[in-house]
Amino acid sequence: MSSRISLLPDHVANQIAAGEVIQRPGSVVKELLENAVDAGANSIQLIIKDAGKTLTQVIDNGMGMNSTDIRLAFERHATSKIKVAEDLFELSTKGFRGEALASIAAIAHVETHTKTEEDEVSHCLKIEGSKVVEQTISTQPKGTSIAVKRLFYNIPARRNFLKSDTVELRHVIDEFHRVALAHPEIKFTFYNNGSEFFDLPIDSIRKRIASIFGTKWENQLVPVEEKTSLVTLHGYIVKPGFAKKTRGQQFFFVNRRFIKSSFLHHAVSSAFEGLIKPGLFPGYFLYLTVDPKSIDINIHPTKTEVKFEEEQNLYAIIKASVKHSLGVFQVTPSLDFDKDPSMDLPYSYKNKTPNLPPIEVDSSFNPFKGEINRLPKKTDKATQWESLFTESNTDPKIEDKVMPLLNVPQVSRVFQLFSKYIVCPLKSQLLLINQNRAHQRVLYERFLNEITNKKGQSQQLLFSQTLTLHPLQLEHYIRLHDIIDALGFKIKLQGNILEISGAPISCPVEKVTEILETILDDLDEISDSHFSQADQIAKKIAKTLAIRTGEILKQEEQQALIDDFFGCKETAVSPFNRQIFITLDKSEIDKKLNG
Ligand code: ADP
Ligand code: MG
């Protein structure tokens, strides 16, 4: 009887394996960079075209390969990094599975040039879809260059699955960051479509972080150091006041390998508890050195997950060290106070019952009854919270505004409530409008309209301002400058510095650079379509410039806001889909008070 089961030909097995290891250009970048690190290079170049879809090339000055090794390197399970199973427990290299090059060569065109110290000549090998098409010799310097072209050329389904260049580039950059942050002792350069993206000299970890994310990061880093028998921990946490709205800068490295661990992340986050607002993420760059025997890296094909032997202890050590650093450096929570008056209290107290002084005269007070009576009465949290605005926190300015209402003339009868709502009495309804959301709506529609019609009005700045961009921001600027111009900015780009001589009329002068930074930061999953770019930018500006909750508005300002707001195309929800106002019908009020 013939067998139903047969061994898959190598090139098919390789394609299947590739599916696990190589999901996108970013995966190629990761594998090639890691091989270059493993080869002992101290200078590594990454060159990509079209987010790596057309070309991903890594050039290193490492140990190179001889004529036999260059062929073996592309065989599956061919590795120079482990020989026997026991070696798995002593890993000091990034790679060990011997799968990456075989996988990449199965689904792309790969051209390798490599030379060892000993060889007189360099070797060149071209492979297309696992087939060797050319092997020659030439005279390249010591080291290895591997160029991967036409990724997924023979698997259209995978190619079609790739996201826009912007999204794929983001993944490439993420992988680059991870390797570059793990190895500040290696010089890295990165070229994207012919322009230099990053040039990272050999440096300290702190400087490396700053050259990747921007110099202003340097002052935001607080060192973390701890040495125990289980782990040596070093690195930095980012000051709480610099916490970001996206997860961007959270890095764990274990024995110089970037890993993802929600468990360890939790340890750090819980140390930050009470110091940053919900919705913001703590930043950290933490390097763990552990005995290779105490971890298993072989639980995931891309090796970004690790199993630790003593997870609970590790958790406790990380949490305690981070807490310690936050304490030692007396990092005070520099919260964004003008966002919400509830933030006037350190966040950790926000949801706790405030200990209000016992101001009421307690007729049943008995001095001999002990402490109990002197404690504030515990009431519903929400009511107490409200009372912070209305009673103990009453701002005389607000009262001034509220009191004359009784005889305000018909034309200006709106007023502000709790410094967060505008109350607007209509004929048979009362409108309660959230001032922050309403203003976001006004600004969003205004800026979107200006971008779309390219008619943003500009104000000339008395003194021009400058903004130094880090490489990612520069890339975003180059891509988005049409939109930025349309808003009314007048900008000249000199190297990586923006010289700003004009800004949109509705942008306060002191907010000019902040707005630009907001526009250029964190454009993660933005699509390439002009509309969604414009939409995202208009939202960002609206969020940054909108009147805050807690801001006290003059009568004219309240009225202007209401007028602008009712001129909007959409009034129900803010650009972020939050309800803007509620109504109270006269009939409802009558039912309750007059019925
Ligand atoms: P692994 O890294 O798991 O060993 P790879 O498929 O990534 O598997 O690489 C196979 C082998 O090719 C490596 O073990 C190494 O010997 C060799 N190699 C790959 N890239 C380089 C490089 N840049 N310089 C020198 N040798 C390399
Ligand atoms: Mg490898």
Side-chain angles (χ1 to χ4, degrees):
M1 208 174 14
S2 70
S3 167
R4 281 190 299 121
I5 303 174
S6 61
L7 280 171
L8 289 172
D10 263 0
H11 70 276
V12 181
N14 283 340
Q15 270 201 13
I16 295 171
E20 270 184 65
V21 192
I22 307 297
Q23 276 114 27
R24 53 182 7 129
S27 331
V28 176
V29 167
K30 170 181 192 286
E31 296 298 337
L32 295 185
L33 288 177
E34 290 190 349
N35 279 345
V37 172
D38 283 347
N42 68 2
S43 174
I44 299 176
Q45 260 188 69
L46 169 64
I47 298 166
I48 63 166
K49 287 214 173 91
D50 304 323
K53 291 175 184 169
T54 318
L55 169 76
T56 300
Q57 181 176 16
V58 169
I59 306 170
D60 68 56
N61 64 353
M63 66 178 72
M65 288 176 269
N66 64 25
S67 59
T68 320
D69 284 344
I70 190 177
R71 289 296 284 262
L72 281 172
F74 290 91
E75 298 289 327
R76 203 143 63 98
H77 305 309
T79 178
S80 57
K81 299 169 193 175
I82 58 170
K83 302 262 183 258
V84 288
E86 286 69 48
D87 293 347
L88 273 175
F89 306 110
E90 292 289 350
L91 283 173
S92 60
T93 52
K94 300 273 186 289
F96 57 85
R97 298 163 64 107
E99 271 183 333
L101 289 187
S103 298
I104 295 169
I107 50 168
H109 291 190
V110 181
E111 184 172 329
T112 307
H113 293 266
T114 184
K115 184 184 171 303
T116 60
E117 186 84 64
E118 303 79 36
D119 279 348
E120 299 270 294
V121 290
S122 62
H123 298 278
C124 168
L125 180 71
K126 286 187 190 169
I127 303 183
E128 295 176 0
S130 298
K131 278 202 205 57
V132 173
V133 294
E134 197 180 313
Q135 184 167 7
T136 51
I137 49 172
S138 61
T139 52
Q140 301 286 323
K142 179 193 156 221
T144 303
S145 153
I146 299 184
V148 177
K149 293 175 192 164
R150 304 191 56 202
L151 185 65
F152 298 132
Y153 80 101
N154 52 358
I155 319 182
R158 295 223 115 205
R159 201 178 167 81
N160 297 338
F161 254 111
L162 292 178
K163 300 268 169 53
S164 68
D165 281 9
T166 317
V167 173
E168 293 303 336
L169 182 62
R170 179 76 245 181
H171 286 284
V172 167
I173 292 171
D174 282 348
E175 297 296 351
F176 177 78
H177 283 169
R178 291 166 182 178
V179 180
L181 285 167
H183 294 279
E185 80 288 2
I186 300 176
K187 172 183 164 61
F188 285 91
T189 45
F190 178 176
Y191 289 87
N192 172 44
N193 289 340
S195 59
E196 185 182 278
F197 225 31
F198 290 95
D199 179 11
L200 311 175
I202 293 173
D203 224 324
S204 64
I205 293 177
R206 185 190 274 268
K207 293 268 189 222
R208 173 69 41 109
I209 295 171
S211 24
I212 291 180
F213 295 109
T215 41
K216 67 177 177 193
W217 277 75
E218 220 179 313
N219 304 323
Q220 302 298 336
L221 301 173
V222 179
V224 179
E225 300 286 345
E226 185 61 82
K227 207 173 168 133
T228 71
S229 54
L230 184 65
V231 60
T232 305
L233 174 66
H234 72 118
Y236 297 92
I237 48 175
V238 180
K239 288 182 187 169
F242 210 56
K244 296 277 179 195
K245 290 187 206 86
T246 54
R247 272 175 201 281
Q249 286 79 24
Q250 300 180 331
F251 294 89
F252 274 117
F253 301 93
V254 175
N255 297 354
R256 298 296 197 90
R257 181 192 302 279
F258 168 82
I259 59 140
K260 292 176 187 160
S261 164
S262 48
F263 186 71
L264 297 186
H265 169 73
H266 193 269
V268 179
S269 303
S270 64
F272 270 87
E273 215 166 75
L275 292 175
I276 50 178
K277 286 190 281 180
L280 295 188
F281 296 96
Y284 52 84
F285 304 83
L286 295 174
Y287 297 73
L288 284 68
T289 312
V290 297
D291 181 349
K293 285 195 204 67
S294 72
I295 52 172
D296 186 356
I297 314 162
N298 203 11
I299 55 170
H300 193 270
T302 62
K303 297 169 275 179
T304 41
E305 280 162 42
V306 172
K307 220 169 137 45
F308 295 96
E309 219 168 64
E310 291 191 52
E311 228 175 25
Q312 297 296 341
N313 289 337
L314 203 56
Y315 183 101
I317 294 168
I318 290 177
K319 180 172 175 178
S321 321
V322 171
K323 266 206 148 140
H324 179 76
S325 294
L326 284 167
V328 167
F329 287 86
Q330 291 177 323
V331 183
T332 41
S334 63
L335 295 172
D336 195 354
F337 286 117
D338 58 358
K339 271 213 169 97
D340 184 331
S342 56
M343 290 301 163
D344 283 348
L345 292 175
Y347 170 66
S348 50
Y349 294 108
K350 186 182 157 211
N351 293 323
K352 298 197 175 135
T353 312
N355 285 342
L356 298 175
I359 39 169
E360 286 164 70
V361 178
D362 186 352
S363 53
S364 65
F365 179 63
N366 175 349
F368 302 106
K369 256 179 150 179
E371 283 298 299
I372 298 277
N373 271 337
R374 260 174 263 164
L375 292 171
K377 275 198 207 147
K378 289 235 187 303
T379 56
D380 180 310
K381 271 183 199 167
T383 345
Q384 287 227 358
W385 199 219
E386 199 87 296
S387 71
L388 278 181
F389 299 110
T390 50
E391 292 162 32
S392 49
N393 229 15
T394 302
D395 186 325
K397 278 179 272 173
I398 302 178
E399 288 219 306
D400 284 346
K401 288 204 168 86
V402 177
M403 295 315 280
L405 176 79
L406 296 173
N407 41 27
V408 274
Q410 287 285 305
V411 277
S412 62
R413 55 187 180 177
V414 299
F415 65 93
Q416 201 181 15
L417 188 65
F418 308 143
S419 43
K420 80 186 332 183
Y421 306 111
I422 308 291
V423 182
C424 182
L426 302 177
K427 208 163 157 205
S428 57
Q429 273 182 332
L430 200 61
L431 244 50
L432 269 170
I433 301 169
N434 180 312
Q435 64 190 39
N436 170 252
R437 294 178 190 174
H439 199 214
Q440 281 183 356
R441 169 51 69 187
V442 170
L443 293 175
Y444 166 73
E445 291 197 4
R446 181 182 303 160
F447 284 112
L448 191 60
N449 180 30
E450 286 178 357
I451 298 171
T452 322
N453 300 316
K454 297 198 184 325
K455 56 162 204 191
Q457 287 191 15
S458 192
Q459 56 175 321
Q460 179 151 13
L461 300 176
L462 206 51
F463 301 101
S464 64
Q465 303 184 18
T466 57
L467 179 64
T468 308
L469 303 181
H470 67 72
L472 254 188
Q473 291 175 321
L474 182 60
E475 163 73 10
H476 288 153
Y477 177 74
I478 292 166
R479 209 153 40 87
L480 300 171
H481 75 269
D482 277 355
I483 295 182
I484 294 172
D485 288 353
L487 282 164
F489 281 102
K490 297 269 176 282
I491 295 177
K492 250 211 229 129
L493 178 65
Q494 305 270 22
N496 65 337
I497 298 172
L498 298 185
E499 279 179 25
I500 313 151
S501 58
I505 271 186
S506 25
C507 175
V509 175
E510 71 279 5
K511 293 239 173 183
V512 169
T513 53
E514 184 190 335
I515 284 287
L516 276 169
E517 284 202 294
T518 324
I519 296 177
L520 298 175
D521 272 344
D522 303 328
L523 284 161
D524 286 353
E525 297 295 311
I526 194 169
S527 93
D528 282 341
S529 94
H530 182 83
F531 177 76
S532 54
Q533 287 174 348
D535 179 71
Q536 195 172 337
I537 288 174
K539 278 184 182 149
K540 281 178 171 215
I541 307 179
K543 191 168 184 177
T544 313
L545 292 184
I547 295 164
R548 309 271 165 198
T549 297
E551 244 178 82
I552 295 165
L553 303 178
K554 293 197 192 98
Q555 181 68 46
E556 316 85 82
E557 291 169 333
Q558 299 171 24
Q559 192 63 52
L561 172 60
I562 295 304
D563 293 346
D564 286 345
F565 174 58
F566 284 108
C568 283
K569 286 199 191 116
E570 155 76 65
T571 49
V573 289
S574 78
F576 304 96
N577 247 335
R578 314 287 290 270
Q579 183 170 0
I580 297 179
F581 66 86
I582 53 164
T583 54
L584 267 177
D585 282 350
K586 176 169 177 292
S587 56
E588 270 175 72
I589 303 172
D590 282 347
K591 223 188 303 168
K592 295 224 163 85
L593 294 176
N594 206 18

